[in-house]
Amino acid sequence: MPLHRLARITMGVPDVDATHDYYADFRLTALGRGRFASADGGEQLKIVHAARRRLDELVVAADDPDDLGRIGTALDRLEMPFVRDGHCLRAVDPGTEVTVTVEVQPRLVQPAAGSVPCNGPGRAERPDGRAPAVLREGAVRPRRLGHVVLGSTDQAASRRFFTDGLGFKVSDLVPGAAFLRCSTDHHNVLVQQAPVPFLHHSSWQVDDVDEVGRGATRMLEGHPERHVWGLGRHHVGSNFFWYLKDPAGNFSEYFADMDCIVDDQLWTPRVWEDARSLYSWGPPVPPSFLAPEDLAALMTGAHDAS
């Protein structure tokens, strides 16, 4: 696949300072002027002012300029406008109203996390010692940006834009939503039918389920209002999850152990219509996860600047 990762996002929010403090607490590294880096991915988040919360830009990495040419040809076939500028191409998805920029960038090579010994029935991999996970004291730092979930007023058009236009692959489907990938991750973008375009959540990779739990637990110390849903494990994508809420109303997710699709020929997309479309195990799904509490306000423009 010539596309190889979700490189960075720009998030628009009404209160930049409060949102900045939240993502610093989330343990992204502040670079100044609303910019943040993950441990492995470099600069991957920018926060700017907007009248209502939204995803302003999504940047996808490609291998070389020829890939941009092929994407331009595909967008022409779809009669979708774009701008080509050197080693980047920009187009707006009409359903999510997000500007998607495809940039020529080198591939990311992540240092592998160390293997963790685990005891089990008939298996003692760490005899006479405590689990390394319970001895961890350092802060949990997101390794890289994994995916975003976007509300689209025309989910079918958004899906065509990302797949037929940009070259994303379909990994799985649920009613009204498509899990799409531009890397070996099971999904990098999920577009779901919604009454208004909005950012549902951004998702950030950590090493393992203990880091998911440790990171979320620390985020909730003194801030119980940040909790949304977790700890649990998704069936679609298989990843462990814990969702939190930033001051603007966007959800942020710590995730670990996502399905990895290396050979497209060995993966068969499926349509999931039962509870597995949401999760394999975990607490009951809160209504606010399915329909964020500010969705009606976003629809009526209550968050727009006066």
Side-chain angles (χ1 to χ4, degrees):
M1 180 186 291
L3 303 178
H4 54 84
R5 70 177 176 122
L6 189 61
R8 64 183 186 273
I9 56 175
T10 298
M11 183 187 298
V13 299
D15 188 337
V16 172
D17 289 342
T19 308
H20 180 283
D21 291 346
Y22 172 91
Y23 285 96
D25 209 18
F26 196 74
R27 286 297 190 264
L28 292 171
T29 299
L31 302 175
R33 302 182 65 182
R35 296 157 44 240
F36 289 88
S38 63
D40 297 340
E43 183 179 338
Q44 296 206 279
L45 172 64
K46 184 177 182 181
I47 300 171
V48 298
H49 180 265
R52 63 178 177 87
R53 67 180 184 89
R54 64 187 305 273
L55 188 66
D56 186 61
E57 184 184 29
L58 183 156
V59 178
V60 178
D63 282 326
D64 57 58
D66 288 344
D67 299 324
L68 305 187
R70 286 189 287 269
I71 291 170
T73 300
L75 290 173
D76 276 336
R77 285 197 298 267
L78 295 175
E79 298 183 342
M80 290 184 171
F82 65 91
V83 175
R84 173 80 183 270
D85 181 13
H87 283 191
C88 72
L89 178 150
R90 291 183 178 87
V92 177
D93 169 34
T96 64
E97 299 181 359
V98 172
T99 297
V100 180
T101 300
V102 183
E103 289 184 358
V104 176
Q105 293 189 17
R107 294 197 171 225
L108 176 66
V109 178
Q110 285 187 276
S115 60
V116 179
C118 181
N119 291 340
R123 184 185 76 250
E125 294 182 357
R126 49 172 183 82
D128 310 316
R130 302 185 195 279
V134 305
L135 302 177
R136 296 174 186 169
E137 296 182 353
V140 174
R141 287 200 60 204
R143 296 285 296 266
R144 61 172 172 82
L145 175 65
H147 62 268
V148 294
V149 172
L150 303 171
S152 170
T153 55
D154 189 338
Q155 193 271 345
S158 292
R159 177 177 164 183
R160 285 194 300 273
F161 172 79
F162 279 100
T163 56
D164 297 344
L166 302 184
F168 280 61
K169 304 291 187 181
V170 176
S171 296
D172 279 304
L173 301 167
V174 301
F179 293 79
L180 311 175
R181 68 184 186 275
C182 63
S183 72
T184 57
D185 280 1
H186 176 272
H187 56 283
N188 302 105
V189 172
L190 187 153
V191 287
Q192 60 184 20
Q193 187 65 36
V196 63
F198 74 103
L199 171 62
H200 185 276
H201 73 263
S202 61
S203 186
W204 302 83
Q205 182 192 54
V206 294
D207 285 349
D208 55 32
V209 64
D210 285 285
E211 298 298 86
V212 172
R214 290 180 65 238
T217 298
R218 198 200 61 79
M219 284 289 288
L220 296 176
E221 292 174 358
H223 294 280
E225 76 282 357
R226 290 174 171 175
H227 175 70
V228 178
W229 186 29
L231 172 71
R233 185 159 197 162
H234 288 301
H235 188 89
V236 183
S238 302
N239 52 295
F240 295 104
F241 66 81
W242 199 320
Y243 296 91
L244 305 154
K245 183 168 68 173
D246 73 21
N250 305 299
F251 302 153
S252 60
E253 177 190 16
Y254 289 118
F255 83 89
D257 196 20
M258 175 78 72
D259 286 337
C260 184
I261 303 172
V262 177
D263 188 338
D264 292 339
Q265 302 302 314
L266 299 180
W267 183 269
T268 302
R270 289 186 56 181
V271 179
W272 304 92
E273 298 186 85
D274 55 17
R276 291 175 295 178
S277 66
L278 289 167
Y279 67 139
S280 180
W281 57 260
V285 185
S288 63
F289 183 81
L290 301 176
E293 294 169 351
D294 66 345
L295 192 56
L298 292 174
M299 292 173 63
T300 58
H303 288 186
D304 290 346
S306 59

